[in-house]
Amino acid sequence: MAVLEPSEWLDRELYSRQLPVLGAPAMQRIRKAKVLLSGLQGLGAEVAKNLVLMGVGSLTLHDPHPTCWSDLAAQVFLSERDLGKSRAEASQEHLAQLSEAVQVLVHPSDITEDLLLKFQVVVLTASKLEEQLMVGTLCHKHGICFLVADTRGLVGQLFCDFGEEFIVHDPTEAEPLTAAIQHITQGSPGILTLRREDKEHSFCDGDLVTFSGIKGMVELNGCSPRPICVQKDRSLEIGDTSTFSPYLHGGTVTEVKRPETVRHKPLDRALIQPRVVAPSAQEAHRAHCLHQAFRALHKFQNLHGRPLHPWDPVDAEIMVTLARDLGPLKGAEEEPLDEALLRTVALSSAGVLSPMASILGAVAAQEVLKAISRKFIPLDQWLYFDALDCLPEDEELFPNPEDCSLRDSRYDGQIAVFGAGFQETLSHQNFFLVGAGAIGCELLKGFALVGLGAGASGGVTVVDMDHIEYSNLSRQFLFRPWDIDKPKAEVAAAATRDLNPDLEVTTYVQVLDHTTEHIFGDNFFSHVDGVVAAVDSFEARHYVAGRCIHYLKPLLEAGTQGTKGSASVFVPHVTEVYKGPVSAEASENVPAPVCTVRRFPSTYEHVLQWARNEFEGLFQLSAETISCYQQRFTSLADVDGPQILTSLQLVMGVLRVRPQTWRDCVMWALGHWHLCFHDDIIQLLSHLPPDKVHEDGTLFWSGPKRCPQPLEFDISQDMHLLYILAAANLYAQMHGLPGSSDQTVLRELVNLLLQTDPQHPAPVLAKYRLRTPAPTPLTGPEQLKELQEALEVWSKGPPLKPLVFEKDEDSNFHMDFVRAAASLRSQNYGISEPVDHTQSMRIASQIIPAIATTTAAVAGLVGLELYKVVRRPQPVGAFRHTYLHLAENRLQRSVPSTPAIQKFHHLEWTRWDRLKVPAGQPERTLESLLDHLQEQHGLNVRMLLYGQAVLYSTQWSPESQAQYLPLRVTELVQRETDWVPEPGLRVLVLELSCKGEEDNTAFPPLHYELW
C-alpha cells in the first residue's frame, strides 16, 4: 500500500488542545512522519495508540507473534477472540479507527535494512537484546531515530538514540519572553529600557532577542537575533544602534529561542556506559542497578530460552548471579549492586501490567514526537522507572509461585505479579469515577484491563454531564466520530464493556455537586470502596474531595496541562487531605481591569479579552436582552426599573437597524468596524490627546498606557476583510439570515458599498456607524417613543438567536471574529501579535492545553496507586504523589504527608475525623446535644451552625435560648432553613465553635447520626 502524504492539511479543530502544546510547525512535521513500531504487546499498543491520536502521518506495525492469554492484561486492542492471531494484524483495525488522518499499516515479515530506510523513527518494544543491537546499529548508521522500550512487571526501561548531532529547534515548552519597550538610546551599545511593569523580567546575559512594533527606530523591527547584556538597573544592552533612527515610542522585545544540539551514543556503547536520567546520585545508583537487571534478564532468556517463572526463587537467584557477573559499568561510580532490589525485580518480572504499559508507552510516544518535531529536549539516554512500592513492604507477604502461575485467564499478566488472591480482591471492588473525559477514558481502559470490579459483586460507576465534541477525538480514545453529541459517560461505559464484558459499568449523565446529593448521598456512598476524580476544575476537585472526607473514602486524583501532569492519592487517616487551589483564579492570572481592557490595553491578552467581550456583547447579550424584553413585556410602559431600559438603550445603539439581507449585514459590519477602530479612537483622543500631561508634568500616555491611533479601512488588508466577513456572518446568524464565506464576492460588495474611495465610507453607511450617546434616564416621551419604535422592528421578524462562543469549530466564524478584532485592536495600540495563530486561539478560547501522552501517563500513575488502595491497609510510606513534565524529562515521586494534627485541650483530631453524636430515640433536643458535647468531649459550645443557619449562639438573649433549647435538632434545622430530610439520610452535618478556641482552630464536623 502506498503511503499518502497527509501533511498539506492540518485539522485545527481536531487538534485544538494539542496545537497550543506543540505549535503548528511541529504538528506539520508530525503529520509528515513515518514511524515503524515493532512489538504489539501492552506497551507497544500504548505507544501506537498515543501516536495515532496525536496525528503521526503513518504508523507501520510489526509483530507477527500470536496473541496469548498474558497479552490481554495490558493490550487494549486484543481480546479472547484474537488468541492465536498476529498481534499486529489483530490491532490494526482498532488503531485505524482512532483517526482517519493516520495511515496504520502492517509489515508481516522480518525487519531489514531496506525496510528501516523508509522511516524517520523506529521503536522496538518487548524485543530481544540481539534484535535491539542489530536494529540500533543500522538506525545509528543511517541517521534514523531509534527507541527501545520495555516493561518487566513493575519495572520499565526506555532508551533513545537520535544520533550524534540531533538539533532541537525548540528546547522548552515555555513561551518566549516578551516585554514592552519604554525607550532605546542611540549609541554603541544602545540601551533599551523596559516599561515599568516589565522591569522585573527574566532575560539573561547572552539571550538572543528581536524586536517588533517600534516607531522611529524601525531598523530594529524584524532584525536578526541580537545578543543582550542585562544591566544592574535591569535595562538591556542590545548592540550598536548609533546609526539608527531616533526611537519614538512603542515596540516589544521578544526572546528568540536558541537551538540545542543533542549527542547520543549507539546502543552497543550506551549499554556499557549508560547515561541515565536521574535527579540525584541515589536515584542514579538505583537506575544503574535496574540497568544491570535488564541486561541480566536478557542474558537469562538467551541462556534458558525462556523468561523467568513468576516468583520462582531459583530463577531469581540465577538472575542475580548473572547481574553480578556482568562487571562494573563504565563511567559510573563503583558501588555494589543492590542485590535485594535485583531479587525483587527478578521475582516480579514475569508479569505484564496495564499501568506500567500506560506510563512507559506515554513517555516513549512523547520521545517519538520529540524525534519527529525537534521540539523539546529528548531523554539522555536511558530512563528507568519502577513501582516496586506496589508490592507489600513485608517480604513474608510476597506472592508464592503457585498463586502466580498461569491459568489461561485474561489477567494472567497481572496475576504473575500480584497473585490470584489479589486478582479476586480487585474483582469485588466498587469504584466511583467522576469524569469521562480524556483522563476518564484512560482510567476506564485501565479498570477494564486490570479487572477492577469485574466480579459478581463489583462494579464501576461513572458520572459526567458533558457530551462528546469533535475536538475530544484526539485524546479521548474511547470515542469515535459517530459518537459526537452523545453523552460521554454512556459512550465511555459502552466502550469499556466491550473491552471487558465482565465489568459492570453504571452511568449517570448529571453534574456532581450539592444539587445532586439526593442521588449521590449516604446510600450511594455506602456501597463505594473508592473514588477516582478526573475533573477539569479546582471547584469540582474540592467538591469531590469534600465528599470523600465526609464518607471516609480513598480518593485518587489526576490532572494535566500540556506536557505537565500529576497523580495523587488521599487515604483516610493515612495521608493528608486534598489541598488544591479553591478556583482557577486562585492559581492563575486574574482578568485585567475593565478600564484597562476597554481603553488602555498594553498586552495581547488585553486585546483578546476585549475581542471576547465584543463577541459576547454584540452577538449574545444583545439578542438575550431583546428576547427578555419581548417575552416579559408588551410595551415600555410595562417596564419597571431603569436597568432594563438602560440595557435596551445600549443594545439599540449597537444594532441600529434590523437587517433583511446579507447586504444589510455587511453594511452593519462595515459601520461597526469604523465605530470600533476609527471613531471610538478619535473620540478617546479628543478627551485624552497624545500630549496630555499629569499635574506632575509626566505624559498621560506613558508607562503601560499606549497612545492609540485610528485605523483607516483598507479592503486589501486581510484582517480588515476577515473582520467584515466574520462580523457580517455572525450578525446574519443572530437574525436567522443566510450568510456567505465567499471572500471574492464580499470584497466586490464592500468596494461597491464604499464606492470609489475605499478609505471613506459612503453616506449610506452613516446609519450603521452611529451609536447612541451614553444612556441617559429615559424620562421624556419622545425618547421612550423612539426606543419603542425601534424595538417594534425586532418584534416583527423571527426571534433573535443568541450566539454562545464556541472555540472548537473552525467554520462558525467565532474564532475568526475574535482573532480579527484582536488584531485590529493591536494595530490601534501598537501591540505586537503572536506569530502563531494557535497561541492567540488558546488565549482567546481559554483553552487548557492537553495531549494524549500526558493523559495516558497520569492515568497509569493513578493505576499504580489503585493497587495500593485496594490492598489496604497500607502505611503512608507505600503511597506516592507523582509530578511529571514530559517536555523536561522530569518524573518526581514523593511520599504523601501524614494528616496534620490539631489540638484543643485534651482533644486531638485531623481533617479525617468527626464528632459523632447519635440522635437517639426519641430524638434528643438542642439542650441535650449541647450537654452531651460538654459531658463527653469537654466542649463548651459557643455557636452551632447548619450551613449558614445559626442553630444556637451564646450571644442570644435568655428568652431566645429558652425558646430554642427544648426543640429537637431536626425540628430546629427545618425551622431555620428550607431543609427537607431525604429518604435514607443518615447524618446531619453541623459545625461548631467553642469557648476558648484559637483563631486558627477548626473543629471537626459534628455528625448528628439520625439512624
Side-chain angles (χ1 to χ4, degrees):
M1 177 184 290
V3 178
L4 302 175
E5 298 293 341
S7 59
E8 295 182 6
W9 181 70
L10 179 60
D11 192 335
R12 290 181 177 271
E13 184 179 350
L14 178 63
Y15 299 112
S16 61
R17 293 291 193 93
Q18 183 173 308
L19 276 164
V21 182
L22 299 176
M27 275 300 302
Q28 294 287 4
R29 287 191 284 270
I30 291 168
R31 293 295 298 120
K32 296 178 184 178
K34 300 174 185 177
V35 178
L36 173 64
L37 171 63
S38 179
L40 264 294
Q41 292 178 302
L43 175 56
E46 286 294 319
V47 176
K49 176 203 68 181
N50 294 326
L51 292 178
V52 173
L53 288 174
M54 297 185 74
V56 69
S58 77
L59 177 66
T60 299
L61 310 175
H62 172 261
D63 191 336
H65 297 97
T67 301
C68 61
W69 280 106
S70 61
D71 294 332
L72 306 187
Q75 223 282 26
V76 66
F77 302 115
L78 299 177
S79 68
E80 288 88 340
R81 297 185 299 272
D82 300 311
L83 293 169
K85 297 179 184 178
S86 155
R87 295 187 191 118
E89 292 179 357
S91 303
Q92 179 191 20
E93 181 180 353
H94 300 289
L95 283 163
Q97 286 183 358
L98 296 180
S99 175
E100 295 178 352
V102 177
Q103 263 200 317
V104 182
L105 310 172
V106 171
H107 178 72
S109 53
D110 293 341
I111 295 177
T112 64
E113 186 169 6
D114 288 340
L115 176 70
L116 295 174
L117 293 174
K118 299 178 181 179
F119 301 97
Q120 286 93 12
V121 184
V122 173
V123 185
L124 302 185
T125 71
S127 54
K128 295 182 179 180
L129 182 59
E130 295 77 15
E131 181 183 27
Q132 296 172 11
L133 289 166
M134 183 271 289
V135 175
T137 299
L138 292 173
C139 286
H140 194 85
K141 170 184 172 184
H142 293 293
I144 302 166
C145 294
F146 174 63
L147 293 90
V148 173
D150 200 0
T151 64
R152 303 293 182 97
L154 288 160
V155 179
Q157 171 195 63
L158 180 60
F159 169 75
C160 296
D161 172 15
F162 293 176
E164 295 179 10
E165 288 197 11
F166 181 81
I167 298 175
V168 182
H169 299 310
D170 190 355
T172 66
E173 190 172 15
E175 296 290 342
L177 297 172
T178 63
I181 299 170
Q182 178 69 34
H183 185 69
I184 306 174
T185 64
Q186 289 175 295
S188 183
I191 303 298
L192 183 152
T193 305
L194 297 174
R195 291 190 174 220
R196 182 173 51 197
E197 69 270 20
D198 287 330
K199 283 193 174 180
E200 296 304 316
H201 58 77
S202 300
F203 288 107
C204 299
D205 287 348
D207 282 351
L208 297 178
V209 299
T210 189
F211 309 88
S212 60
I214 294 174
K215 304 297 182 184
M217 197 176 284
V218 294
E219 294 88 346
L220 286 175
N221 289 331
C223 68
S224 299
R226 288 181 159 227
I228 60 171
C229 181
V230 181
Q231 306 299 292
K232 289 183 179 180
D233 63 357
R234 307 302 289 166
S235 62
L236 308 178
E237 283 188 4
I238 61 170
D240 189 359
T241 61
S242 58
T243 62
F244 292 169
S245 307
Y247 174 83
L248 296 178
H249 61 84
T252 301
V253 56
T254 303
E255 175 194 18
V256 177
K257 291 188 179 182
R258 292 176 182 267
E260 292 189 23
T261 301
V262 173
R263 293 177 171 81
H264 282 168
K265 302 174 186 175
L267 178 61
D268 57 346
R269 289 166 52 198
L271 271 174
I272 58 176
Q273 192 172 1
R275 297 202 299 259
V276 297
V277 176
S280 65
Q282 182 180 3
E283 289 295 316
H285 175 60
R286 187 177 182 89
H288 286 138
C289 291
L290 295 175
H291 182 81
Q292 297 296 68
F294 270 89
R295 292 180 67 195
L297 289 171
H298 281 296
K299 195 160 189 177
F300 183 100
Q301 173 98 24
N302 189 47
L303 290 173
H304 298 276
R306 63 170 176 85
L308 281 72
H309 290 308
W311 294 93
D312 185 328
V314 176
D315 281 1
E317 289 306 319
I318 295 173
M319 179 272 204
V320 172
T321 302
L322 291 172
R324 192 186 302 127
D325 293 343
L326 288 172
L329 295 166
K330 293 183 179 179
E333 293 187 17
E334 289 195 24
E335 293 187 61
L337 288 173
D338 185 340
E339 295 194 2
L341 172 63
L342 295 176
R343 192 169 291 107
T344 304
V345 171
L347 289 168
S348 58
S349 66
V352 180
L353 299 174
S354 169
M356 291 296 296
S358 292
I359 297 164
L360 269 296
V363 179
Q366 189 67 51
E367 294 306 303
V368 171
L369 296 180
K370 292 178 184 179
I372 296 166
S373 67
R374 297 182 178 256
K375 185 178 178 73
F376 309 143
I377 296 294
L379 288 172
D380 188 30
Q381 286 186 264
W382 294 93
L383 173 70
Y384 285 94
F385 175 82
D386 77 88
L388 296 170
D389 42 79
C390 291
L391 297 172
E393 285 189 334
D394 186 353
E395 293 186 7
E396 295 294 323
L397 300 177
F398 278 180
N400 59 64
E402 294 75 23
D403 195 36
C404 298
S405 61
L406 303 182
R407 53 203 69 204
D408 290 346
S409 160
R410 66 175 297 131
Y411 309 116
D412 273 354
Q414 187 165 263
I415 289 172
V417 178
F418 296 118
F422 181 70
Q423 187 64 48
E424 184 72 12
T425 302
L426 271 172
S427 72
H428 295 308
Q429 298 294 301
N430 283 277
F431 264 71
F432 183 32
L433 173 63
V434 185
I439 298 175
C441 283
E442 288 286 343
L443 289 167
L444 283 169
K445 172 208 71 181
F447 295 166
L449 292 174
V450 305
L452 180 73
S457 60
V460 171
T461 299
V462 58
V463 60
D464 195 315
M465 66 177 293
D466 285 345
H467 289 64
I468 298 165
E469 299 177 359
Y470 181 61
S471 64
N472 299 151
L473 303 182
S474 66
R475 303 175 323 284
Q476 301 174 21
F477 84 104
L478 295 181
F479 305 148
R480 301 292 180 267
W482 51 85
D483 296 322
I484 290 173
D485 293 331
K486 296 178 183 177
K488 288 184 177 181
E490 294 178 358
V491 175
T496 305
R497 294 186 199 103
D498 289 341
L499 296 179
N500 187 343
D502 293 332
L503 179 55
E504 181 65 32
V505 184
T506 304
T507 63
Y508 289 90
V509 185
Q510 274 121 345
V511 65
L512 179 71
D513 64 14
H514 68 278
T515 66
T516 53
E517 288 180 5
H518 61 287
I519 300 173
F520 307 104
D522 294 353
N523 185 60
F524 176 86
F525 276 96
S526 68
H527 298 94
V528 169
D529 295 306
V531 179
V532 186
V535 295
D536 58 3
S537 75
F538 292 116
E539 293 88 343
R541 287 189 180 98
H542 269 281
Y543 180 80
V544 175
R547 294 286 83 193
C548 290
I549 294 171
H550 177 75
Y551 289 109
L552 294 179
K553 302 298 180 182
L555 170 65
L556 298 158
E557 184 270 332
T560 70
Q561 183 172 12
T563 63
K564 299 174 184 177
S566 64
S568 305
V569 56
F570 307 96
V571 181
H573 303 299
V574 177
T575 74
E576 61 189 347
V577 299
Y578 175 77
K579 295 179 180 177
V582 175
S583 65
E585 288 75 16
S587 63
E588 300 170 1
N589 293 331
V590 176
V594 173
C595 60
T596 299
V597 172
R598 288 184 59 191
R599 295 289 181 241
F600 311 119
S602 60
T603 68
Y604 191 66
E605 286 77 6
H606 291 162
V607 295
L608 272 172
Q609 191 172 330
W610 175 86
R612 277 292 304 272
N613 294 347
E614 275 282 290
F615 179 97
E616 186 178 86
L618 291 173
F619 308 116
Q620 180 181 351
L621 296 181
S622 59
E624 290 175 348
T625 300
I626 291 178
S627 297
C628 177
Y629 166 77
Q630 292 172 340
Q631 292 168 11
R632 295 175 57 189
F633 309 107
T634 57
S635 162
L636 286 178
D638 301 328
V639 177
D640 181 19
Q643 187 172 358
I644 294 178
L645 289 173
T646 301
S647 298
L648 289 169
Q649 247 188 311
L650 288 170
V651 168
M652 292 300 98
V654 171
L655 302 188
R656 302 301 301 165
V657 179
R658 177 155 195 159
Q660 303 298 320
T661 65
W662 166 244
R663 176 191 175 102
D664 291 343
C665 295
V666 174
M667 292 172 69
W668 175 86
L670 273 169
H672 202 73
W673 189 101
H674 281 88
L675 178 69
C676 289
F677 309 112
H678 184 271
D679 298 355
D680 277 0
I681 300 300
I682 290 177
Q683 184 180 21
L684 177 64
L685 292 176
S686 70
H687 294 293
L688 300 169
D691 57 356
K692 180 179 175 60
V693 295
H694 292 290
E695 291 182 0
D696 62 1
T698 60
L699 281 170
F700 176 85
W701 294 106
S702 61
K705 290 187 175 70
R706 295 169 176 259
C707 184
Q709 300 295 322
L711 301 183
E712 298 296 337
F713 185 79
D714 184 352
I715 192 63
S716 66
Q717 295 291 320
D718 289 342
M719 282 300 162
H720 294 218
L721 183 64
L722 181 62
Y723 181 91
I724 303 302
L725 177 71
N729 272 283
L730 294 170
Y731 202 58
Q733 291 173 27
M734 188 174 75
H735 288 90
L737 296 173
S740 172
S741 58
D742 191 325
Q743 294 193 27
T744 302
V745 173
L746 176 63
R747 196 183 300 272
E748 294 172 357
L749 176 57
V750 170
N751 279 324
L752 177 64
L753 293 172
L754 296 177
Q755 296 183 354
T756 57
D757 187 351
Q759 292 191 351
H760 297 91
V764 74
L765 297 181
K767 65 180 179 179
Y768 292 96
R769 296 179 61 194
L770 296 176
R771 174 177 281 166
T772 302
T776 57
L778 286 168
T779 55
E782 290 299 320
Q783 292 175 294
L784 285 170
K785 180 180 178 183
E786 182 182 347
L787 182 57
Q788 180 73 59
E789 290 173 352
L791 286 167
E792 287 174 358
V793 174
W794 263 267
S795 301
K796 293 176 182 178
L800 296 186
K801 177 186 176 183
L803 304 183
V804 179
F805 184 77
E806 174 53 61
K807 65 181 182 296
D808 291 327
E809 186 179 339
D810 284 346
S811 60
N812 61 10
F813 296 102
H814 293 201
M815 278 303 304
D816 290 329
F817 175 85
V818 171
R819 179 187 175 203
S823 176
L824 294 167
R825 194 73 165 175
S826 295
Q827 294 173 40
N828 277 138
Y829 283 88
I831 295 170
S832 298
E833 303 175 54
V835 176
D836 187 1
H837 163 59
T838 303
Q839 183 184 352
S840 63
M841 186 180 77
R842 176 181 63 81
I843 299 169
S845 307
Q846 300 175 345
I847 291 174
I848 300 174
I851 53 175
T853 48
T854 317
T855 299
V858 298
L861 291 164
V862 166
L864 295 177
E865 300 309 304
L866 175 67
Y867 288 141
K868 304 168 190 177
V869 167
V870 171
R871 191 189 291 280
R872 59 189 154 195
Q874 293 270 52
V876 67
F879 296 101
R880 297 290 185 274
H881 291 329
T882 306
Y883 168 81
L884 62 86
H885 192 178
L886 296 178
E888 297 184 358
N889 306 316
R890 292 167 57 194
L891 199 158
Q892 301 169 340
R893 305 182 79 208
S894 61
V895 175
S897 302
T898 55
I901 297 175
Q902 293 197 57
K903 298 180 180 181
F904 180 75
H905 300 331
H906 64 285
L907 292 178
E908 290 188 356
W909 68 92
T910 74
R911 286 284 307 279
W912 293 107
D913 291 312
R914 67 281 319 275
L915 295 169
K916 295 182 179 181
V917 178
Q921 289 294 333
E923 186 192 347
R924 69 172 71 241
T925 63
L926 172 61
E927 184 174 20
S928 170
L929 174 61
L930 298 175
D931 289 343
H932 178 90
L933 293 171
Q934 175 71 61
E935 295 166 3
Q936 297 297 319
H937 302 288
L939 298 176
N940 191 345
V941 176
R942 183 174 61 188
M943 183 177 292
L944 187 67
L945 302 172
Y946 175 72
Q948 299 297 318
V950 179
L951 305 182
Y952 171 77
S953 173
T954 56
Q955 300 298 313
W956 285 351
S957 66
E959 293 79 12
S960 295
Q961 294 191 28
Q963 181 183 356
Y964 279 76
L965 288 172
L967 297 176
R968 291 188 173 90
V969 174
T970 55
E971 180 185 2
L972 176 58
V973 172
Q974 287 176 292
R975 177 171 171 172
E976 295 300 309
T977 71
D978 57 358
W979 175 72
V980 176
E982 295 289 342
L985 181 66
R986 303 180 183 187
V987 171
L988 203 59
V989 180
L990 309 177
E991 297 176 54
L992 53 86
S993 65
C994 299
K995 293 180 179 179
E997 68 181 66
E998 301 288 338
D999 289 340
N1000 60 352
T1001 302
F1003 284 101
L1006 171 58
H1007 278 214
Y1008 186 68
E1009 298 176 330
L1010 303 177
W1011 58 280

